[in-house]
Structure formats: structure tokens, C-alpha cells
Amino acid sequence: MCESLLTEDACGADDGCIYIDTKCIQSECIAICTEPLCDSDTRCIWKVGGCRGITCHLFANQATCDQHFDSCRWDNETHSPAQCIMRNCVAHDNEDDCLQDPAACLWDTDVNPNGNCRENKCNVDSHAACNALSPCLWDIKVSPEACRENQCTPFNNLTKASMMQSCNTRDTCHLKDQSNNVTLCEERWCSGYAQESDCWTDRLCKWDNLIAPSACVDTYCGKYENCLLYTSPSPRDS
């Protein structure tokens, strides 16, 4: 059936199909049987009756389109009138094609162990622009300073049970209660140091070779705000 849909718009409107390399083919989403696995794939969305391909073309306004930020984007440059279209990187279903895409796509195995191809959400150069993007943080621990993706916030897109399990298995992440009684997965203080030499310059951090991959982690005292040994700290994690 998908092969008979000859245009990208027609293909994109069918939640059983996906448009790749100028061809409309059956979406792999319909073979996924559980909601957590479906939600972890940026090409898929869970609906009544099962897992289906996400249909960006059917989101009629920017607000609805933006709710599916990882999969869709509002395009007012190449489409007139503007419409919601699938992000370029999402269409790739293997790592080689993903990394060879000139759009500088990323192969992400954090949320989906099988891997998803997606765009770099933090490809901006200024501090202000970086702070305006919720998935991003301005990293002052590298030289030169740069905008990068928060390593832990992608887990917050999962169901609560999956988020808590995934967050607890990543040593650079921790669960933190928010003021609105919501628990989110956030980066630990020291995880921003990518190099061992930089990690050891911060007295609140240590390089841990016992985890895989090795990473910079908080010391016991580093869990607290402005903590020195033998003080009464204000817990950062509280």
C-alpha cells in the first residue's frame, strides 16, 4: 500500500508509512508491540490500537507541531503556507546513513538502545541562544565555552517508570525533585568535564575508571553546594 503513495505529503499522512530516499515504505513502528518501546523511537507514536508512524503532516498548527519537537518541525521556509514536516535526520534508520547526512545528524542510543537518528538540538554559538533551548546547556567547563545537549534530560521524555530506571543506571545523571512536585532526571555537577585532566582540577570531582565509559563524577562532598570538608553544607540534591 505504501508503495502506491508517490508524494512525500501523501506518504507522510499515512501513519503506517514513512518517506525515505524518495520512496514511501512501510513504517517499522507497526511491528513494535509495547508503548515504552514505541515512545523511545522518534519515528513512532503510540495510538489506540498500537504503535504507528508519527504523521507530522497532520499537525495543523505550530503549537501542535512543537509538541513533537524530536520528530517534527514547523517549516515556513520551503513550504507555503507553512506546515509541519518530519525532521530530516529522523528518516534515517541506520547509523551509517545517519552520520553521513550533511545536516550533521546524531546517532542516539541513550533513550533507544537500538539507536535513533536525530538532529543536534544545540547547534548554536551564543550563550543566550543556548539558554533559550530547553534540551541544552552552556558548558563553561570546556575551552572555548560551548552549547551542548544535556546528557540526562532526554530521559524525561520516557514514561515515569522508564525515566527513573534509565536515570538511575547512568552515573552522570541523578533524579531531582522540582518545586512543582515533579521528579526529573538531571546532570550531576561534575559530568560536564569530558577530560580526566580537567576533572581533577575541580576539588569536588573525581575521575571514575570503575564505570564504563569512564567519567567525571561527584565526590561525596561534591553532592553539596559550595561544600568544603567538615562544614554543614546545603545539599544540592535536595
Side-chain angles (χ1 to χ4, degrees), residues 145-205:
E145 297 177 7
C147 188
R148 67 169 175 84
E149 294 185 17
N150 189 306
Q151 301 173 28
C152 305
T153 53
F155 294 132
N156 294 322
N157 295 324
L158 301 176
T159 61
K160 184 175 181 179
S162 297
M163 179 273 290
M164 296 182 74
Q165 180 181 9
S166 299
C167 190
N168 283 328
T169 58
R170 175 67 70 84
D171 291 289
T172 54
C173 305
H174 70 138
L175 295 168
K176 186 173 182 181
D177 294 330
Q178 309 297 306
S179 58
N180 56 358
N181 295 321
V182 173
T183 299
L184 296 177
C185 186
E186 294 187 356
E187 279 195 19
R188 292 189 182 276
W189 171 253
C190 300
S191 63
Y193 291 116
Q195 303 298 324
E196 181 176 1
S197 58
D198 295 328
C199 177
W200 287 116
T201 64
D202 192 323
R203 61 184 174 180
L204 300 182
C205 307

Side-chain angles (χ1 to χ4, degrees), residues 104-147:
C105 303
L106 299 175
W107 186 252
D108 187 351
T109 57
D110 281 341
V111 174
N112 184 349
N114 295 321
N116 276 334
C117 188
R118 62 173 179 80
E119 295 179 9
N120 180 351
K121 302 172 185 177
C122 305
N123 190 24
V124 295
D125 297 326
S126 75
H127 192 172
C130 184
N131 286 345
L133 299 172
S134 58
C136 309
L137 59 83
W138 187 255
D139 195 344
I140 63 173
K141 298 180 180 179
V142 296
S143 182
E145 297 177 7
C147 188

